[in-house]
Structures are given as C-alpha cells and as structure tokens.
C-alpha cells in the first residue's frame, strides 16, 4: 500500500552566537528594557555577523533534523527553504542542498515572510501526498537584521536571526490533520521590505532601475489588529477541517512575533497558558525561522512528545496568514 500521508520525524535549529539584549539596544536607539518587554515580551535577540550566512545556519539546523529523522542527506528528494532574506536573491536552497551533499534532492526557495514555514509545510505535504516524493527537508531561516533600520525603534527592537528545520516523510497514516492558508494583498502596505528604484539613464531613451531595497517598514497597530483577529479565525477553520475541538490540542505554536499577540490569540481560543509555546523573549521575531526554532527547542526539552497534537499558525507580510494542525512524530 502506498504511503500517501505525512509524518514530521525530525527537527533542528541554529542561531548566531552574538546576542543583543534590550539594555544594550538602548545604546543604539532611544528605548528602554521596560518599553520593549511590556509591548513585545522580547528581552534579547540573536544577530548574525556580517560574515555569517543564511546557508551556514540553515545547513546546521538541517543536519540536526536529518539526524533526528534517522536518514541521510542522500535520502532527501526535496528541499524547501522558506526565507525573505536569502544570501542570494536568486535563492539559497540550492546552496544548502550542495552544502548538505543531498545529491538527489531538488531545491527551491519560497517567500511568504513570517507565514513561510506554514506555507512551506503545506507545500511539502502536497508533494508527498501525491506520491511524488518520500523525504522532504523544510527549512525556515531569516536574517532580517540585514534589513532593519536601527534608528526605527518601532521595528529594530523586534527582529532577530535564526534557522529551523524539519524532515517530513511519507507515512501510511497522515499526521497533517488540517490546514487553512490565506492572503490579502489589499493590506500589503502594512509591512514591507520594498524595492527602492534608483533610476539609471542607460541611453537618452532608456531609463532603468538599479536594484536596492529599503529597510523594513511596518504599521504596528494594523499588523497587531490583523493578527489578533485573523489568526483565531484561521485556526478555527483548520480545526474544523481536522474535525478537532480546541480541547484536543496539546500545544499552540504561533509565529513568535509578539507576546501580546500570543496571549490574545490563546485567550480568544480558550487555550490555557501552559499549552502555549513561547521562546520569543530570547530570540525576538525570527520570521520564517520562528516556528521551527520554537518547535525544535520544545522537542529537545521533552515538552513536545510523539503523538502530541500541535496547532501552528504563521502570519505576516503579504499580508499572509495560515494555520496547520499536525501530530508530532509517527
């Protein structure tokens, strides 16, 4: 009988060694530890050095996930990298494939900002469910410190760098229980890392744009309002598709953007605090890395156990948001 379900069988994570706590951040921008912690819950963030690359960190996280799954890089059929800050604008997934020695795997990047890991999970699952691939590596990695305006206290206090990875394998029983993905481009201007056209006159008749990007801009109030409203809705829809009730959930694992968002979503869904996974105090918002980073930490701490039902939701630029419900392990 063909295995047309999926199981998530391994996880891994990696963060830069350099950290910047709130007190040190006050030397960079006018803010305070109290201002940051009361509004976000973040106490410190890890920042990549100029010499560090997404590929290095993603490869380290991937090696851990592959080892936990008990397979080798040569067993991988597909590598999906969810990132908005690749080392190379043409994509970094192939570089990771080369570093791992995953000679059989096809590799590509997807960009869905802070929703990237959830979108990637659903994408990877479809390749397995259709019988095309057996073993998929999904990586979420971002270095948004590259694109932060360090004088904008509304954004620079939020972001950190990191990578997380999972191995997804074909399985007789399907442990991806339900999902729902959404986009609303009419709110695109709420959160951007936008192209900034610098006109270059090639000839008298031809004017082209020179490539560059502006720092991250965000309407914090609108993004908060969007997340608190839309995330519980999309989780409800995913629960309906999974034919599950809230009280059957073992863990709520949201994109680690802001502790106030985590608390508000849990409250709206009547999920008790002890079921909410949160590590953003130590890492800040690591965008596409935040969910797999928190997942791996909870697995290695022994909190998440085989068979636990996890509701995960990502939300961010696009605007994009989505939820996926899965059982850990097999």
């Amino acid at each position: 009988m063909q295995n047309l379900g999926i199981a998530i069988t391994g996880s891994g994570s990696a963060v830069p060694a350099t950290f910047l706590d709130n007190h040190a951040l006050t030397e960079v921008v006018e803010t305070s530890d109290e201002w940051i912690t009361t509004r976000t819950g973040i106490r410190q963030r890890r920042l990549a050095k100029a010499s560090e690359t997404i590929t290095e960190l993603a490869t380290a996280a991937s090696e851990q996930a592959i080892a936990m799954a008990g397979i080798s890089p040569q067993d991988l059929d597909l590598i999906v990298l969810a990132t908005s800050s690749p080392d190379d604008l043409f994509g970094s997934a192939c570089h990771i494939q080369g570093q791992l020695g995953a000679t059989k795997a096809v590799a590509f990047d997807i960009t869905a900002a802070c929703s990237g890991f959830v979108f990637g999970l659903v994408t990877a699952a479809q390749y397995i469910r259709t019988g095309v691939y057996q073993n998929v590596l999904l990586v979420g990695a971002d270095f948004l410190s590259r694109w932060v305006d360090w004088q904008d206290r509304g954004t620079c206090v939020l972001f950190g760098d990191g990578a997380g990875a999972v191995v997804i394998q074909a399985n007789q029983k399907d442990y991806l229980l339900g999902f729902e993905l959404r986009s609303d481009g009419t709110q695109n201007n709420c959160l951007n890392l936008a192209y900034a056209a610098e006109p270059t006159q090639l000839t008298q008749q031809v004017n082209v744009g020179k490539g560059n990007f502006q720092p991250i801009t965000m309407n914090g109030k609108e993004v908060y309002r969007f997340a608190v409203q839309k995330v519980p809705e999309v989780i409800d829809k995913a629960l309906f598709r999974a034919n599950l009730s809230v009280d059957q959930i073992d863990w709520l694992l949201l994109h680690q953007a802001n502790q106030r968002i985590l608390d508000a979503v849990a409250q709206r869904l009547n999920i008790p605090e002890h079921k909410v996974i949160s590590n953003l105090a130590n890492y800040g918002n690591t965008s596409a890395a935040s969910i797999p980073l928190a997942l791996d930490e909870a697995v290695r701490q022994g909190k998440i156990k085989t068979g636990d039902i996890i509701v995960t939701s990502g939300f961010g630029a696009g605007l994009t948001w989505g939820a996926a419900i899965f059982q850990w392990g097999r």
Side-chain angles (χ1 to χ4, degrees), residues 1-17:
M1 184 182 164
Q2 203 171 15
N3 295 333
L4 291 178
I6 72 134
I8 302 174
T9 58
S11 65
S13 59
V15 292

Side-chain angles (χ1 to χ4, degrees), residues 12 17 28 39 43 48 54 58 65 73 88 113 115-116 133 147 174 186 222 228 246 253 275 295 330:
V28 179
R39 283 163 179 79
R43 296 189 179 278
I54 285 272
D88 181 342
S115 306
Y133 296 135
W147 301 107
D174 197 352
T186 66
E222 283 304 313
V228 170
V246 169
L253 175 50
K275 289 186 175 184
L295 173 70
R330 67 172 165 203

Side-chain angles (χ1 to χ4, degrees), residues 80-146:
V80 178
L81 170 65
T83 187
S84 303
S85 51
D87 299 321
D88 181 342
L89 201 55
F90 290 150
S92 292
C94 290
H95 197 184
I96 295 164
Q97 181 249 7
Q99 292 294 301
L100 288 170
T103 50
K104 203 174 77 173
V106 64
F108 60 83
D109 291 29
I110 65 167
T111 303
C114 301
S115 306
F117 182 80
V118 173
F119 278 47
L121 174 60
V122 172
T123 301
Q126 306 319 304
Y127 283 99
I128 294 174
R129 285 173 162 181
T130 52
V132 176
Y133 296 135
Q134 298 281 303
N135 301 306
V136 180
L137 173 69
L138 170 61
V139 187
D142 269 306
F143 283 8
L144 290 186
S145 66
R146 290 171 171 173

Side-chain angles (χ1 to χ4, degrees), residues 89 146-147 192-200 208-216:
L89 201 55
R146 290 171 171 173
W147 301 107
N192 299 107
L193 203 174
Y195 170 67
E198 291 178 23
T200 302
V208 296
K210 186 183 176 187
N212 211 338
F213 290 90
Q214 292 176 331
I216 293 166

Side-chain angles (χ1 to χ4, degrees), residues 175-324:
Y175 290 117
L176 178 60
L177 308 177
F179 68 85
E180 183 83 9
L181 304 180
R182 291 296 176 95
S183 300
D184 180 5
T186 66
Q187 295 190 75
N188 177 264
N189 63 345
C190 290
L191 182 52
N192 299 107
L193 203 174
Y195 170 67
E198 291 178 23
T200 302
Q201 201 76 37
L202 286 187
T203 70
Q204 218 170 353
Q205 286 80 29
V206 180
N207 179 309
V208 296
K210 186 183 176 187
N212 211 338
F213 290 90
Q214 292 176 331
I216 293 166
T217 60
M218 183 176 74
N219 183 330
K221 284 182 182 174
E222 283 304 313
V223 171
Y224 178 85
R225 191 179 296 140
F226 142 75
V228 170
Q229 181 192 346
K230 296 296 186 183
V231 172
E233 285 178 11
V234 83
I235 288 173
D236 272 336
K237 285 186 169 65
L239 285 166
F240 176 78
R241 293 188 188 283
N243 196 24
L244 290 170
S245 62
V246 169
D247 56 3
Q248 289 173 281
I249 299 310
D250 294 301
W251 301 103
L252 177 66
L253 175 50
L254 301 179
H255 162 53
Q256 305 286 297
N258 184 312
Q259 189 61 46
R260 287 166 62 209
I261 293 174
L262 270 61
D263 294 342
V265 171
Q267 203 171 358
R268 290 200 179 193
L269 291 166
N270 290 318
I271 294 175
E273 194 181 330
H274 70 269
K275 289 186 175 184
V276 180
I277 292 171
S278 173
N279 71 351
L280 66 85
N282 295 323
Y283 303 106
N285 178 345
T286 55
S287 193
S290 82
I291 291 171
L293 181 60
L295 173 70
D296 181 56
E297 206 168 69
V299 166
R300 292 179 188 275
Q301 287 169 353
K303 284 170 80 169
I304 291 175
K305 297 178 171 60
T306 301
D308 280 1
I309 296 175
I310 299 162
V311 170
T312 189
S313 180
F315 48 91
L319 293 174
T320 56
W321 66 105

